Amino acid sequence: MRVFERPGPVNTDEVINILKEASFEYKYLVVASVTGESAVKIAEAINDMEIICVTCPQGMYWEVEEMDNDLFAEIPELRNARDGWVNKGLKRVAMNITPENRVKLDKMNVEVVRGTIPLFGPTFSMRLHLQRPTSLDIMAKTLELISPGTLVSMEAVLMATDAGVIPEDELVLACAGTEMGLDTSWVLKSCASANLFHPSKGFRFVELLAKPGIAANPDINIDYLR
């Protein structure tokens, strides 16, 4: 297992190299990618697997004016992204795959999955708008103690399985990061989200391949997301 000195997009290339070394053992690679940038990089580097890009559902935004603290202040690459948006006069940025990356992913036959995030859908709205955290929020925040990418890797595999892109009960490679880029990778056993806690065919964390040594976790209210 590779343990990085700090979280963030700085680790993207090394995560891709780790996945490339492990790729011969698995058929599917699931990458969580907001803009499609990480998915494009993986598809360009690894061509002997079925690569699935799982992205955000419609209606999610980065709120630029709320980025003066939390992860976008703590992680240099995220701070640079925020400063770039500020310089352009942007107040909110849609969390969508860019048109350019969508063209590249289509050309490389990368399937794109977009749907409700299992632990970040209605419960996030309850937490944000009703000030009512749920047991799913506690589960999500517990996984983020390992790294945000651990939570997102699990969610991405559940979403890809729910969409019928990968089968249940399959060992898959998965990777994600801290808001942008990649800093975490796992071998995971897939399942549909409805079977998450099934005693035999439920989801399983199998092998941790890479993570930040000390993860940076967003505040439970995540003011910079809407």
Side-chain angles (χ1 to χ4, degrees):
M1 180 184 73
R2 178 71 168 92
V3 178
F4 299 121
E5 291 184 7
R6 67 171 180 87
V10 68
N11 303 303
T12 298
D13 289 343
E14 190 164 353
V15 169
I16 293 173
N17 288 335
I18 290 168
L19 292 167
K20 190 172 183 179
E21 291 179 4
S23 63
F24 70 94
E25 297 184 51
Y26 306 97
K27 181 177 180 180
Y28 300 97
L29 194 163
V30 178
V31 51
S33 186
V34 176
T35 66
E37 190 70 26
S38 295
V40 167
K41 289 182 178 180
I42 285 179
E44 290 174 342
I46 302 173
N47 53 27
D48 55 352
M49 301 186 71
E50 292 189 33
I51 297 170
I52 300 96
C53 171
V54 178
T55 193
C56 296
Q58 180 171 289
M60 290 186 65
Y61 295 86
W62 283 300
E63 298 287 345
V64 179
E65 293 181 343
E66 301 293 337
M67 290 178 168
D68 291 333
N69 50 38
D70 218 324
L71 301 186
F72 277 84
E74 297 170 7
I75 297 176
E77 299 85 18
L78 301 188
R79 187 167 60 245
N80 290 340
R82 179 205 63 189
D83 291 346
W85 294 333
V86 170
N87 291 337
K88 292 178 181 178
L90 299 176
K91 293 188 176 181
R92 60 169 22 195
V93 177
M95 299 175 75
N96 294 330
I97 293 179
T98 66
E100 297 79 9
N101 285 337
R102 186 60 194 247
V103 169
K104 292 177 183 178
L105 293 172
D106 288 344
K107 285 183 178 179
M108 292 185 286
N109 297 314
V110 174
E111 185 95 28
V112 175
V113 172
R114 189 181 196 188
T116 301
I117 302 172
L119 303 187
F120 197 86
T123 60
F124 176 67
S125 183
M126 292 175 67
R127 169 159 44 101
L128 182 68
H129 302 120
L130 301 179
Q131 289 76 55
R132 289 283 187 265
T134 71
S135 58
L136 291 181
D137 294 311
I138 303 304
M139 178 180 173
K141 296 306 293 182
T142 300
L143 290 173
E144 284 183 342
L145 295 178
I146 304 171
S147 69
T150 293
L151 167 64
V152 177
S153 291
M154 181 190 78
E155 292 176 316
V157 170
L158 294 175
M159 291 168 69
T161 310
D162 284 348
V165 177
I166 60 176
E168 288 196 272
D169 202 31
E170 180 87 12
L171 292 182
V172 302
L173 289 175
C175 58
T178 304
E179 287 298 331
M180 295 178 178
L182 304 171
D183 60 19
T184 301
S185 61
W186 279 90
V187 179
L188 304 174
K189 186 171 82 71
S190 65
C191 77
S193 58
N195 288 325
L196 178 61
F197 296 111
H198 191 283
S200 60
K201 62 180 182 180
F203 183 88
R204 295 291 185 274
F205 290 98
V206 179
E207 182 181 1
L208 180 55
L209 302 179
K211 69 174 291 289
I214 297 178
N217 294 317
D219 185 272
I220 191 169
N221 291 317
I222 321 183
D223 290 335
Y224 59 81
L225 287 187
R226 289 294 184 274

